[in-house]
Amino acid sequence: MTIVLTPVWSNGVQKLKMEGTGPKPVPRGTVPAAHNESIHAVRCMAQLRSKDKAIEKFIYLSQLKHTDENMFYRLCLMNMAEFTPIIYTPTVGDACLQHSHIFRRPEGLYISIQDKGKIGSILRNWPRSKDARISVVTDGSRILGLGDLGVNGMPISIGKLSLYVAGAGIRPSSTIPICLDLGTNTQRYLDDPLYLGLRHKRVSDDVMTEFMEEFMHEMSVNFPKLLVQFEDFSTDHAFLYLEKFRHRYPLFNDDIQGTGAVVLSGFINAAKLSSAASGRPLSEHRILFLGAGSAGVGVAMQLMSFFKLQGLSEAEARSRIYLVDSQGLIFDSRGPMAEHKKYFSRSDYHGPPMTDLVDIIGHVKPTALFGLSTIKNAFNQSVVETMAALNPRPIIFPLSNPVRLSECEFHDAIEWTQGSVLFASGSPFPEESFNGKMLYPGQGNNMYVFPGMGLGAILCQTKTMTDSMVEAASLGLADSLTQSEKKDDLIYPRLERIREISAFIAFRVIRKAQEEGVDRLTDLRALSDDKLMKHIQSRMWNP
């Protein structure tokens, strides 16, 4: 029987359709059907779809990756929209919560505070050290919006690296998932007999900093071509270690820079649609953030670029951005505040504390409302209707992950704005029909940016990841919409084009690294744009 597998679409999900010409004599030497990879692909998808719980699908795909890596990534590429919510957000959040209970076998490196003084010897045991190009490192202290999970945060590192492979063609053998075990302050894990990590509270900041100095030094010595991505460190530590190490090693923080880049890209496209409806110049947009942690402040810093691109000064750009934390609007005379919040603290407000979000919206009159608060339903009907009353096309981005922590759901935003909302979320929502028109939610998914940004940094062997390189990745994503996607008012491109998008972003990142003189592989400078793009595509691994 001749088997043909054809990608087809059904309810927004790409699936494999199997067609055959009927039974025929099997030539001698033909691979038995039991070992036919095309048939096995259908078998694997059938097994995956037989699971009725997302966590069971996660476990199945993890096992498939261990036993048949090529098949896992082949199916991932053919079913990107279906796989991504399983191996990444939102299901990876549940996988982290249950990591010690669903654990099957080690994948990656667990490095604990007890290894201090001998981290180098541990890294030298990594079996593919010469291939190492990218590592995602977490200490599990602030996983998504779930808090301090300790070593249960390891699935975040594993999942992110799977997306580097699927989304940008990074070779699986060149990836290193790492979880740093510095203790946990979550008592239920310390009491859990199955918990995989050390059973003590987190170490002091001074001890952690000594540990991180040794860790980063040994990483650079043992893996000299490695790019490091910091992931889900607590807010203070995220800013501290990004600033401490970014100028010494090829390094970026995905929560601060990756999230900022993908949101900037979506905002650029949303702002154009909003301004087209209102007639308001792009430079006059105002952005209100609910949430002032590392992600919120990181995104706000990145969005400064939007206003600077419109010709505004740094002070003018900063004046267009407002932050709200658990105590309300952040302003100077409110009192002491964390260091990372001070840059966006308002000096032009001197009234009483303002804590009600509807009141704050009435005061600020924002065109865009962003949520990075992990407060479910924080953007309630009153909040969204107030935004719609101020703007013909309000921009509302509830970005907290996973879905159960999202500030607003797509169908509610549509109903409360009568279909006028420009919406992007952190986790996926299905498209909705409204008044006979299909509306598509954007997903401010870091997967759009970090694989291509990492690929570009690796290929040019960057010395450091500069702010301009991150901005180049963001602008590259914004420019990657097709005419068809623009016609549907999409804010982000369709995820099925992720390889094409990643190559485009890698191109922009490499050219910016060359412009700033931080590329170590200078031979790429001589390539024409066309040849550089072909070089990037040729280096992308395919299963």
Side-chain angles (χ1 to χ4, degrees):
M1 180 170 63
T2 302
I3 299 295
V4 178
L5 292 176
T6 307
V8 296
W9 286 91
S10 175
N11 296 323
V13 175
Q14 192 182 52
K15 300 181 178 180
L16 292 173
K17 179 181 179 182
M18 183 171 69
E19 300 174 322
T21 59
K24 290 185 177 180
V26 180
R28 182 173 298 176
T30 299
V31 175
H35 301 291
N36 183 295
E37 286 205 349
S38 296
I39 295 176
H40 189 49
V42 176
R43 180 184 298 113
C44 290
M45 291 306 297
Q47 291 176 10
L48 173 66
R49 290 167 180 159
S50 72
K51 314 295 181 186
D52 60 358
K53 295 180 181 177
I55 191 65
E56 293 296 332
K57 292 183 178 185
F58 177 92
I59 292 169
Y60 172 76
L61 289 180
S62 295
Q63 196 66 25
L64 178 63
K65 185 171 69 169
H66 293 154
T67 57
D68 193 344
E69 190 173 68
N70 280 8
M71 180 61 71
F72 169 82
Y73 284 113
R74 189 175 304 136
L75 293 176
C76 187
L77 283 169
M78 297 186 71
N79 302 274
M80 191 65 73
E82 185 174 359
F83 271 49
T84 301
I86 302 172
I87 64 176
Y88 189 40
T89 55
T91 307
V92 73
D94 290 331
C96 287
L97 289 171
Q98 301 181 51
H99 179 58
S100 292
H101 289 250
I102 64 175
F103 178 80
R104 297 292 200 271
R105 49 163 281 183
E107 184 177 355
L109 285 172
Y110 295 84
I111 302 177
S112 81
I113 190 64
Q114 294 179 349
D115 301 318
K116 189 171 176 289
K118 53 186 177 183
I119 295 175
S121 64
I122 294 172
L123 296 180
R124 284 190 288 275
N125 284 326
W126 186 248
R128 300 184 297 272
S129 59
K130 291 183 180 179
D131 297 331
R133 294 295 183 274
I134 177 75
S135 179
V136 175
V137 179
T138 185
D139 73 341
S141 57
R142 192 196 59 81
I143 297 297
L144 301 174
L146 304 172
D148 181 357
L149 305 190
V151 300
N152 287 333
M154 176 59 103
I156 286 289
S157 295
I158 295 168
K160 281 288 177 78
L161 288 169
S162 292
L163 295 182
Y164 270 108
V165 177
I170 306 294
R171 289 186 177 278
S173 61
S174 68
T175 66
I176 313 179
I178 296 179
C179 187
L180 306 176
D181 187 0
L182 305 175
T184 178
N185 292 334
T186 303
Q187 191 62 42
R188 70 177 178 275
Y189 296 130
L190 297 177
D191 296 337
D192 183 354
L194 297 183
Y195 179 61
L196 291 164
L198 297 175
R199 297 176 186 277
H200 61 64
K201 298 290 187 180
R202 287 194 172 271
V203 299
S204 68
D205 286 354
D206 288 345
V207 173
M208 181 176 178
T209 296
E210 290 178 5
F211 175 91
M212 291 299 297
E213 285 281 1
E214 179 187 351
F215 171 74
M216 287 303 300
H217 171 72
E218 293 294 347
M219 288 281 278
S220 69
V221 170
N222 288 280
F223 311 125
K225 296 181 179 180
L226 191 75
L227 172 70
V228 174
Q229 174 183 317
F230 279 167
E231 186 75 26
D232 287 355
F233 282 69
S234 63
T235 297
D236 291 344
H237 291 152
F239 283 102
L240 173 65
Y241 295 126
L242 174 62
E243 188 58 35
K244 180 179 285 290
F245 298 122
R246 64 178 304 192
H247 302 295
R248 287 190 269 165
Y249 309 108
L251 165 78
F252 73 102
N253 183 298
D254 189 51
D255 304 296
I256 297 172
Q257 295 164 290
T259 302
V262 78
V263 175
L264 170 60
S265 175
F267 180 69
I268 289 171
N269 290 328
K272 291 176 182 177
L273 293 171
S274 179
S275 286
S278 67
R280 180 186 290 113
L282 292 173
S283 60
E284 292 186 9
H285 279 277
R286 290 170 179 256
I287 306 172
L288 179 64
F289 282 85
L290 178 64
S294 59
V297 174
V299 171
M301 292 297 294
Q302 197 67 56
L303 283 168
M304 295 275 290
S305 299
F306 172 83
F307 294 107
K308 291 180 180 178
L309 290 169
Q310 314 312 318
L312 274 62
S313 67
E314 180 171 338
E316 290 170 330
R318 181 171 56 178
S319 73
R320 301 294 195 274
I321 297 173
Y322 298 73
L323 265 61
V324 176
D325 62 10
S326 60
Q327 300 176 56
L329 181 69
I330 296 175
F331 60 98
D332 290 354
S333 58
R334 194 182 74 173
M337 69 187 71
E339 192 66 31
H340 67 275
K341 299 180 184 182
K342 291 180 180 178
Y343 182 78
F344 288 104
S345 180
R346 305 299 301 188
S347 60
D348 56 358
Y349 179 76
H350 305 284
M354 196 177 294
T355 58
D356 183 81
L357 188 55
V358 173
D359 291 342
I360 295 171
I361 292 171
H363 169 71
V364 174
K365 295 180 171 54
T367 58
L369 177 63
F370 290 174
L372 291 129
S373 67
T374 68
I375 301 174
K376 179 68 174 177
N377 296 326
F379 298 167
N380 57 35
Q381 185 170 353
S382 296
V383 168
V384 174
E385 287 180 346
T386 302
M387 286 294 296
L390 291 169
N391 303 283
R393 297 212 69 183
I395 300 168
I396 298 179
F397 284 17
L399 298 170
S400 293
N401 285 316
V403 170
R404 65 173 178 272
L405 299 178
S406 179
E407 290 83 2
C408 179
E409 298 197 4
F410 186 46
H411 64 89
D412 288 331
I414 291 173
E415 180 182 341
W416 297 335
T417 64
Q418 294 299 298
S420 67
V421 69
L422 294 163
F423 182 98
S425 56
S427 292
F429 288 101
E431 62 265 23
E432 299 267 348
S433 178
F434 184 82
N435 287 344
K437 181 180 179 182
M438 189 61 69
L439 303 179
Y440 301 92
Q443 187 187 354
N445 189 332
N446 290 19
M447 182 187 175
Y448 279 118
V449 167
F450 68 76
M453 191 160 66
L455 177 63
I458 290 168
L459 290 181
C460 74
Q461 296 181 22
T462 187
K463 301 172 188 175
T464 182
M465 183 72 78
T466 67
D467 289 336
S468 295
M469 290 166 67
V470 176
E471 182 181 297
S474 180
L475 298 179
L477 174 59
D479 291 340
S480 66
L481 290 175
T482 65
Q483 287 303 314
S484 173
E485 290 164 342
K486 290 178 181 178
K487 185 178 178 181
D488 288 334
D489 282 357
L490 295 192
I491 296 172
Y492 293 104
R494 300 189 190 280
L495 196 58
E496 291 72 28
R497 296 198 299 114
I498 187 61
R499 284 278 178 115
E500 174 189 340
I501 296 162
S502 293
F504 187 63
I505 290 173
F507 173 87
R508 293 284 190 92
V509 168
I510 290 171
R511 285 299 192 221
K512 184 58 68 172
Q514 293 169 344
E515 182 183 315
E516 297 196 312
V518 295
D519 57 320
R520 288 180 289 188
L521 190 60
T522 56
D523 292 351
L524 299 183
R525 296 181 184 182
L527 298 181
S528 66
D529 288 352
D530 183 58
K531 287 185 177 179
L532 178 57
M533 180 59 77
K534 289 179 179 177
H535 172 74
I536 293 168
Q537 292 168 339
S538 71
R539 297 296 301 275
M540 297 173 80
W541 176 82
N542 284 296

